Amino acid sequence: MTPPVPGSGDAAIQAAAERAAATAHRNLPQFDDLPIPADTANLREGPNLHDACLALLPLVGVWRGEGEVVYPTIDGPFKFGQQITFAHDGRPFLYYESRAWLLDDDGTVIRPAAREVGWWRPKEDDTIEVLLAHATGVTEIYYGAPRGVTSWELDTDIVTRTASAKEVNAARRLYGLVNNIDLAYVEERAMMGQELQPHTSAYLRRVVG
């Protein structure tokens, strides 16, 4: 697995300031009548980020871009569009959501694709617990850790699935900031009788935060 390349601290700060001109005024749509803090994907708004989540701070936001899915059991590769959300409500975890859609060679949307929701839970020893549920009937528990200030690696500990879900046995993910400003990830999967190997990758740009 080839990791995303993290950038230098000074360059990242400068790039974030330039990006904020277009994204700093945006946040998740909110109801104004909740009796509890609403989720925020913009560190300038809402509750303060919990200290336990500081190692995940660069992820907070909404990211959108394109990627590719490949695997021996599919006819691909296929292109897809994706939006990923990392948000928080001031407690020691991040809310995560991913929505994807298949694209043709011209970039036209074919149909909705994979959906995931879950929670990133950083621990005192800098490890990370990640719980994910997929619309396909698969749930996963990952354990991982930061590889630096701008990259994070996760491996599954447990994968469960409903009776109607496809066989999935293991997965590995690596997320990282690229060019000091964008988010990229690569994922490997062991499923449908295959060994752990590349499955999806994407390059996403911040649209909120």
Side-chain angles (χ1 to χ4, degrees):
M1 179 183 293
T2 302
V5 179
S8 68
D10 291 343
I13 292 171
Q14 180 179 352
E18 295 172 353
R19 178 211 68 229
T23 64
H25 66 287
R26 306 184 73 186
N27 201 350
L28 301 172
Q30 303 288 359
F31 291 100
D32 59 10
D33 58 350
L34 282 175
I36 56 175
D39 286 345
T40 178
N42 189 327
L43 294 171
R44 301 167 184 83
E45 301 179 17
N48 291 332
L49 185 69
H50 195 284
D51 287 349
C53 294
L54 291 178
L56 302 177
L57 182 152
L59 292 171
V60 177
V62 180
W63 308 83
R64 194 177 294 167
E66 295 185 1
E68 183 178 80
V69 56
V70 298
Y71 212 68
T73 58
I74 65 176
D75 293 332
F78 295 110
K79 292 170 56 180
F80 64 90
Q82 186 175 30
Q83 177 176 286
I84 289 178
T85 299
F86 287 96
H88 75 98
D89 65 3
R91 290 183 286 175
F93 54 81
L94 297 185
Y95 166 72
Y96 167 88
E97 180 182 20
S98 169
R99 301 188 69 170
W101 48 95
L102 287 180
L103 302 171
D104 65 17
D105 291 338
D106 297 323
T108 301
V109 177
I110 299 173
R111 60 174 175 80
R115 295 192 66 170
E116 308 169 351
V117 294
W119 312 95
W120 287 48
R121 295 163 36 86
K123 312 309 291 181
E124 292 182 357
D125 61 357
D126 290 334
T127 60
I128 308 165
E129 301 173 349
V130 176
L131 295 78
L132 293 184
H134 301 255
T136 54
V138 175
T139 63
E140 301 164 334
I141 295 178
Y142 291 80
Y143 285 94
R147 292 181 47 145
V149 288
T150 58
S151 61
W152 304 264
E153 186 169 14
L154 310 167
D155 288 275
T156 50
D157 179 61
I158 298 173
V159 178
T160 62
R161 59 186 185 271
T162 64
S164 61
K166 292 181 179 180
E167 176 192 341
V168 179
N169 296 307
R172 175 180 298 137
R173 296 187 180 188
L174 181 60
Y175 295 81
L177 296 191
V178 178
N179 299 324
N180 303 311
I181 189 170
D182 300 322
L183 179 65
Y185 74 86
V186 292
E187 180 195 49
E188 297 179 352
R189 279 192 171 266
M191 58 185 185
M192 305 301 291
Q194 303 291 317
E195 296 182 351
L196 193 69
Q197 59 191 286
H199 180 46
T200 59
S201 60
Y203 190 100
L204 312 170
R205 291 179 172 84
R206 184 185 293 273
V207 296
V208 165

